[in-house]
Structure formats: C-alpha cells, structure tokens
Amino acid sequence: MRMGSAGSSGREERLPSGAEEQLSGGDQTLELTGRHLKRLPGPVCALGSLQKLYISGTGLRELPEEIEGLRELRILALDFNKLEEVPEALCRLPRLTRLYLGSNRLFGLPAEFAQLQTLRCLWIENNYLYHFPRALLQMPALQSLQMGDNRLRALPGSLPRMTGLRGLWLYGNRFEEFPQPLLRMAQLHILDLDRNKIIDFPDLAHLKGLRLFSYDHNPVKAPPCVADTVTLVGDGAQELMEAREERLQSLREQEEQDEQEENGSEAMQGTLRNDSSLLEDAEGSFSALECSPEET
C-alpha cells in the first residue's frame, strides 16, 4: 500500500514511516503522536476511509486545506501542538464526533466551526480563550465541553441553548462570580469550576441533573447548597457529605421502621379478621347444633 503525491520539491511525498503497517491491519486508525512534523503530509489527507487520527505533540503550526478529504474521520487529536487557528477546512468533516484541541495557541474558533453538527466531545483546554466561542452556541448536540485553563471571565446568556451538554469543565479560568447562565443548565451532570476566584455560590439544589460539582481552590467560606444526589469536590465537601450520609441513613432507618410497623399493623388486622371469621363459623355451627333434628 503506497500513497504519495508530488511535493513542491518534485519528490514523491509518502506517508510517515510505520503508517502503512498501521493501516495494513484493517484498523482505520493512524497514530502519529510525538512525531516531529513540520506539516501534515499530503498522503495522510488522502486516506478517505480513515476514522481515527492522532497527531498530538508533533509541533504542527497549521493544517492543510486538504484535511477536509478525511470524510470518514470520527476522532481527531491535535492537542499539544502550536496551532494558532482552526482552519475552515477542518470544519467540513461531516462525521467528526471527538476533537481534541487542548494545549495549543488558540484565541477563538471560526464561525464555520458550527458546521460540525456531529461533534459530541470538544476538548479545548489550556488555550487563550478570553471569550466563549459563539459558534458553540449553535451546536446543541455537543455533550462534553472541556474549557479548563483558559481566560474566561463570563459565559453568554444564551448558553442554555446547548441542551445536549452533560459535562462542562471550566476550571482554571478567571471567574469572580458564579456564571448565572449555569443556573438554567438543569441537564448538566458534571460541572467543574475548580481554581477560579468565586467567593460565593448561589443555591444549586434545583439542578436536579447534577451529579458531580467541583468548586475546589475558590475563596468560598462554605460548600454550595446542592441536591443530595450530588458529589462535591472542594473545601468542606467531605464533612458536608458525611453529615448528609448520616442524615440520609437516619431517614432510611426511619422509613424502614415505619414500613415494618405498617406491615405489622396490616398483619394484626389480618389476624383479627381471620379470628372474627373463625368465631362467626363457630357460632354458626353452634346454632346449627341447637336446631339439629336429632336432638328434638
């Protein structure tokens, strides 16, 4: 299996060493992580049936327009590179579900990014995002959004449009107040606001979908108020959850006791009913003996 194209020097461009062996097994996965690549080789973009491409930590500064040729690509890992922008061509991958862009040099996302309507997981942590990318608000099917270690200070009021979002990681940003749009994100399962500058949290007990909330390394004086089903991570969380478990255990024991007493009461009533029936039967038999023809 040889794939190549003519480069600018006139020499035939080939797949990186070892790539053909990876693909020869039938697994449509190409692992180039850690290779020193000045640019993504053209033949890689010609692999139309490729489904997973890992090119993390290769030193890439840009991506070729030809990357849109990877029409079957599901997973693309571009983290730990030197990308300063996401090319429009990448936004035309019709089947992409997971995209890893963490630890690059990105200041934003292009408007065309919203074309990635099949995307379910986006990791864009450790970049230079000062504002929440507006393109993401047009991606209601996105489920997991990792935006830790950026420069965010606020979230857009229209964030609840992202109705599919289940996990949101915002640790290591610059929030000084709890972002109010999050109060209308009842579908969230995981929320991470670790390492910000939030001094107070509102009541979050109404967020019934929440299962894990991390607020560690914020200057708060007390754990936030959340539903009993939420696991907390932060200062004072352990003590609060232990006290909560004791309270819930006491409630469970009381419910069990009430149920046992109710079952005992029902059993007693059943016994009384049976005794009453036996008494009635005995009285009926006695009456019948009194009127027996053999005794008259």
Side-chain angles (χ1 to χ4, degrees):
M1 175 179 173
R2 174 178 291 184
M3 300 194 64
S5 61
S8 57
S9 62
R11 293 181 301 176
E12 184 181 18
E13 192 174 15
R14 292 181 172 82
L15 287 170
S17 62
E20 293 184 8
E21 288 78 3
Q22 289 186 48
L23 297 169
S24 63
D27 184 12
Q28 296 300 318
T29 300
L30 185 57
E31 174 65 80
L32 300 177
T33 294
R35 307 282 187 98
H36 295 289
L37 302 175
K38 294 182 179 179
R39 59 188 176 86
L40 188 63
V44 172
C45 299
L47 298 171
S49 59
L50 193 66
Q51 296 185 10
K52 302 175 184 178
L53 176 58
Y54 301 93
I55 41 180
S56 307
T58 60
L60 285 176
R61 295 179 180 273
E62 60 181 6
L63 295 170
E65 289 294 314
E66 290 79 11
I67 197 170
E68 67 177 292
L70 300 175
R71 310 295 289 176
E72 296 296 327
L73 202 63
R74 267 68 167 177
I75 299 175
L76 177 58
L78 291 163
D79 44 334
F80 297 99
N81 282 298
K82 300 177 181 179
L83 299 174
E84 296 183 0
E85 62 180 9
V86 175
E88 184 178 343
L90 186 150
C91 304
R92 293 194 287 268
L93 297 176
R95 291 178 174 79
L96 197 64
T97 60
R98 295 174 179 239
L99 177 59
Y100 301 97
L101 291 169
S103 299
N104 277 284
R105 301 174 178 177
L106 301 173
F107 283 84
L109 295 173
E112 293 80 9
F113 197 85
Q115 297 174 17
L116 295 172
Q117 289 295 306
T118 58
L119 200 64
R120 297 294 179 267
C121 173
L122 173 63
W123 285 30
I124 194 170
E125 77 283 5
N126 195 25
N127 277 283
Y128 299 96
L129 301 180
Y130 285 86
H131 303 284
F132 190 91
R134 293 283 170 177
L136 299 180
L137 300 175
Q138 302 175 49
M139 304 174 70
L142 195 64
Q143 297 176 359
S144 177
L145 180 55
Q146 164 64 279
M147 301 186 74
D149 289 326
N150 275 285
R151 310 290 193 273
L152 300 174
R153 295 180 180 272
L155 297 176
S158 51
L159 186 69
R161 287 185 196 171
M162 302 182 71
T163 54
L165 205 58
R166 296 295 180 267
L168 180 58
W169 287 264
L170 296 167
Y171 59 83
N173 277 278
R174 299 179 179 178
F175 297 106
E176 296 181 0
E177 297 181 351
F178 184 85
Q180 293 299 302
L182 294 176
L183 293 175
R184 293 181 285 123
M185 301 286 287
Q187 80 281 6
L188 278 179
H189 291 174
I190 300 173
L191 178 59
D192 190 340
L193 282 166
D194 189 16
R195 291 191 288 110
N196 279 281
K197 300 177 181 179
I198 303 172
I199 61 174
D200 188 33
F201 286 98
D203 189 332
L204 305 177
H206 67 286
L207 298 179
K208 300 302 183 183
L210 199 61
R211 294 295 176 265
L212 175 64
F213 179 44
S214 178
Y215 63 93
D216 207 9
H217 303 99
N218 280 280
V220 294
K221 297 180 180 179
C225 179
V226 295
D228 289 338
T229 52
V230 180
T231 297
L232 289 171
V233 179
D235 189 27
Q238 186 64 33
E239 294 82 357
L240 183 145
M241 289 191 293
E242 287 176 357
R244 180 174 69 188
E245 182 56 33
E246 290 179 3
R247 174 173 56 83
L248 292 176
Q249 180 63 29
S250 178
L251 287 173
R252 286 192 291 267
E253 291 174 355
Q254 184 62 49
E255 288 175 357
E256 289 176 1
Q257 183 178 347
D258 292 345
E259 184 177 355
Q260 289 174 358
E261 291 177 355
E262 183 178 350
N263 291 338
S265 177
E266 290 178 354
M268 180 63 72
Q269 291 177 7
T271 300
L272 290 174
R273 283 195 295 270
N274 290 336
D275 290 347
S276 177
S277 298
L278 290 172
L279 183 59
E280 290 175 358
D281 291 343
E283 289 178 347
S285 299
F286 183 72
S287 299
L289 287 172
E290 285 183 331
C291 300
S292 174
E294 296 177 358
E295 296 184 4
T296 56

